[in-house]
Amino acid sequence: MQNQELYQAILDRYTVRQFEQTVFQQETYDLLNGIIGNVKSLLPDNQVTILQMNEINPVDLLVAQGPYGTFVISPHVLLPYTISQQFPLVEIGYQAQQIVIQLFKAGIGSCYLGTAGRENSVIRHFDLPVNASMGASLVIGYPKNNELRSMANYFRKPGKHTKRMLLEEIVFANKYDQMGQVPAALKPILEAARRAPSAVNAQPWRFVIKDGWLYLYVRPKAYPFVLSQRNRNTYALHDAGLVMANISMAYEAMGEQRDWVLYDFDIHSFPEFPKAVLPVAKIQVS
């Protein structure tokens, strides 16, 4: 492992819901801007804009975060969005998660708060392009040292674990839903994937290992059915980007660069999958 610090940050990052109300100093703004400026994209032409709101007022906070705006409070909120048309939600998640991990390394916490179903109100309020896509706002700041965490948040602390599926439950061999042994060489990479965050901890991703490739699918039905099908799809694709970022960064920590190949809408280019599942991307693993 060439960059153990990066790999450990991928494993240890947890959701923060209580923040110090301390405004960043200039050096922290410089750090944040440097992190944003060095984010990698999935596709060269895909640009994600990060709207930075610092010392945010209560009205803007409430609009950015929806009903959670009164519970997760920080002076700093990021709103990632894109007008790119190619895999926009996947791209937003992919770039946002890179920012999250780098901030965690610097001692800055974060919390994703979904925007699905209220995108239009957010777009109007912040005067974003009418064709913008977004998946979640991102509250960032210094974690409260003495915060009284919820039970779920307690188990997100470093060294603790949320209830996560076993690798054997999300990784298949040769075909979808066919159980198989996870190769030892892939376990560190897939463990990084397993630790990725997801809306309501749905863990929608499934992987198939076949012919030296790791294929990624997501299951929109993993999200609560109180959400519309459109909103479930939004979160599934956004969360696909998060897990892809964790995998890419895990390879980076090992001193390797592996590029994702996004689904080309040819069903025969991926191992056969159920109708309710969305194929997303593949990455060469051997």
Side-chain angles (χ1 to χ4, degrees):
M1 188 74 65
Q2 289 192 7
N3 191 337
Q4 184 63 44
E5 183 185 13
L6 173 59
Y7 185 74
Q8 203 60 46
I10 296 168
L11 300 188
D12 287 347
R13 183 265 170 186
Y14 61 97
T15 295
V16 174
R17 290 186 174 83
Q18 292 192 7
F19 295 87
E20 299 286 354
Q21 299 308 300
T22 305
V23 177
F24 292 157
Q25 298 297 310
Q26 186 59 50
E27 63 183 27
T28 307
Y29 287 124
D30 293 343
L31 171 69
L32 173 59
N33 289 325
I35 290 171
I36 292 173
N38 284 295
V39 163
K40 299 178 179 67
S41 63
L42 287 168
L43 295 172
D45 294 333
N46 275 4
Q47 294 185 345
V48 172
T49 300
I50 308 295
L51 176 62
Q52 295 188 44
M53 293 172 280
N54 300 306
E55 300 185 65
I56 187 170
N57 66 62
V59 174
D60 286 350
L61 181 67
L62 187 60
V63 173
Q65 300 177 211
Y68 294 100
T70 57
F71 299 106
V72 184
I73 301 173
S74 172
H76 305 283
V77 176
L78 306 180
L79 187 60
Y81 70 91
T82 184
I83 60 172
S84 300
Q85 299 301 307
Q86 293 184 292
F87 301 92
L89 294 165
V90 180
E91 187 72 76
I92 292 169
Y94 185 74
Q95 295 194 29
Q97 182 66 1
Q98 294 173 63
I99 295 170
V100 160
I101 296 300
Q102 294 298 334
L103 287 176
F104 183 81
K105 283 177 57 184
I108 299 172
S110 58
C111 179
Y112 286 105
L113 292 174
T115 57
R118 54 189 185 85
E119 300 97 327
N120 290 338
S121 63
V122 177
I123 287 169
R124 287 194 301 269
H125 183 85
F126 293 107
D127 197 25
L128 304 182
V130 294
N131 59 338
S133 296
M134 61 188 71
S137 60
L138 191 54
V139 184
I140 64 172
Y142 298 115
K144 212 168 192 177
N145 290 329
N146 61 344
E147 66 176 324
L148 297 175
R149 300 171 184 266
S150 67
M151 183 60 70
N153 213 27
Y154 171 78
F155 284 109
R156 288 185 173 92
K157 293 173 71 174
K160 306 295 181 181
H161 304 287
T162 53
K163 183 180 179 181
R164 295 196 177 277
M165 295 181 180
L166 301 174
L167 289 181
E168 291 75 12
E169 296 178 279
I170 62 173
V171 183
F172 308 125
N174 297 317
K175 62 182 296 187
Y176 196 96
D177 272 344
Q178 178 170 287
M179 303 297 291
Q181 187 172 5
V182 177
L186 265 184
K187 283 187 176 180
I189 298 297
L190 292 170
E191 185 60 28
R194 198 173 73 93
R195 300 295 184 91
S198 58
V200 298
N201 197 30
Q203 302 172 68
W205 33 79
R206 298 293 183 270
F207 299 94
V208 174
I209 303 170
K210 184 177 181 181
D211 298 332
W213 289 85
L214 181 70
Y215 295 84
L216 167 65
Y217 308 80
V218 288
R219 301 168 61 251
K221 69 178 183 180
Y223 300 89
F225 277 90
V226 294
L227 298 174
S228 69
Q229 183 63 52
R230 179 178 180 274
N231 291 345
R232 291 199 296 272
N233 287 350
T234 293
Y235 287 134
L237 293 171
H238 180 264
D239 292 346
L242 305 186
V243 79
M244 290 165 69
N246 270 19
I247 290 173
S248 292
M249 288 185 289
Y251 272 120
E252 180 184 341
M254 293 179 172
E256 300 181 39
Q257 179 175 335
R258 304 286 178 97
D259 295 324
W260 286 96
V261 178
L262 291 157
Y263 180 61
D264 61 3
F265 301 99
D266 175 5
I267 62 172
H268 302 294
S269 65
F270 270 51
E272 187 177 356
F273 50 90
K275 184 177 180 180
V277 167
L278 302 178
V280 181
K282 64 181 180 180
I283 191 169
Q284 197 161 19
V285 293
S286 65

